[in-house]
Amino acid sequence: MAFLMMKLKENASLLIDKMKNLSYLFVFLFLVSCTSNTILKEPEDLIPKDTMRLLIQEMMIASSAKYVKNKNLETKIEYMSLVYDQFKIDSVRFQTSNLYYMSKIDVYQEIFEDAKASLEKQKKVYDDRVTRKDSIRNDSLKKLMDTKKRISIQDSLDVTTKEVKLAI
C-alpha cells in the first residue's frame, strides 16, 4: 500500500511538471503569435509612394464630394472610377498596393499624413481666394451704395434748389 501511494505521488508530481511545461509552451506561443510579422511581399505592379499619396488625396476629395451637388445639381455620384481613370490604374492594383502599404504601417501613416497636409494647404489657398473675392465684392457693393447715396443727395439738392428758385 505504501508503495502504491509513493507511485501515485510520483506520477502526480510528474503530471504537474508536464502541465507546467505545457502551460509555459502555450504562453510562449501566445506571445510569439501576438507580434505582427505580416509584412507582405512587394507586388510587381506596386503604385509608387508619391503616386499613392496623390491617389489617396484625390480619393479623399472624391469620397467627400459624393454628397455635394455638382453643376447639374446631382448628388450621390460615384467619382472613384474617375480617380482610377485619372491615374490609369484599376481597383485591383490599388487594392494590392494599399494592402502592401498597410502592412508597413509607418510608410502608410506617412503617406496619409502627407496627403492630409497637402489637402489642408489646398484648402487654405481656396479659403484665401474666397475671402479675397468676398472682400472685393463687398468693396464693390460699398462703392456702388456710396455712389447711389451721392446721386440721390445730389438729386435732392437739385430738387430743393429748383423749388427755391420757383418760389422766388
Side-chain angles (χ1 to χ4, degrees), residues 12-130:
S13 67
L14 284 174
L15 185 62
I16 289 173
D17 286 339
K18 286 184 180 181
M19 287 176 66
K20 282 183 183 177
N21 290 339
L22 191 60
S23 66
Y24 291 139
L25 178 68
F26 282 135
V27 168
F28 176 74
L29 286 175
F30 177 73
L31 290 176
V32 169
S33 67
C34 287
T35 61
S36 177
N37 293 332
T38 56
I39 296 178
L40 301 175
K41 188 180 86 170
E42 185 175 311
E44 292 178 16
D45 59 348
L46 180 69
I47 299 171
K49 202 167 95 170
D50 57 334
T51 307
M52 189 70 166
R53 179 187 61 83
L54 292 171
L55 179 64
I56 288 175
Q57 182 178 330
E58 291 296 322
M59 291 177 110
M60 287 178 179
I61 293 171
S63 66
S64 64
K66 185 174 185 177
Y67 298 104
V68 177
K69 291 181 180 177
N70 63 8
K71 289 181 180 180
N72 300 330
L73 301 176
E74 299 170 332
T75 58
K76 296 184 182 178
I77 297 174
E78 190 61 42
Y79 292 106
M80 288 301 175
S81 60
L82 298 174
V83 173
Y84 292 141
D85 290 343
Q86 178 183 357
F87 286 90
K88 295 177 179 64
I89 63 168
D90 59 352
S91 61
V92 175
R93 182 174 176 205
F94 172 74
Q95 289 285 352
T96 56
S97 296
N98 195 37
L99 192 60
Y100 172 74
Y101 284 123
M102 281 176 36
S103 71
K104 295 181 152 196
I105 194 68
D106 296 335
V107 176
Y108 199 61
Q109 185 174 1
E110 180 184 335
I111 290 171
F112 266 91
E113 286 174 357
D114 289 348
K116 183 180 175 185
S118 181
L119 283 174
E120 287 172 353
K121 195 182 297 183
Q122 284 181 4
K123 184 181 183 312
K124 185 176 179 343
V125 167
Y126 288 125
D127 286 346
D128 290 346
R129 190 177 293 169
V130 166

Side-chain angles (χ1 to χ4, degrees), residues 151-162:
I151 290 172
S152 67
I153 291 172
Q154 186 66 33
D155 286 346
S156 66
L157 287 176
D158 287 342
V159 168
T160 55
T161 308
K162 288 179 183 176

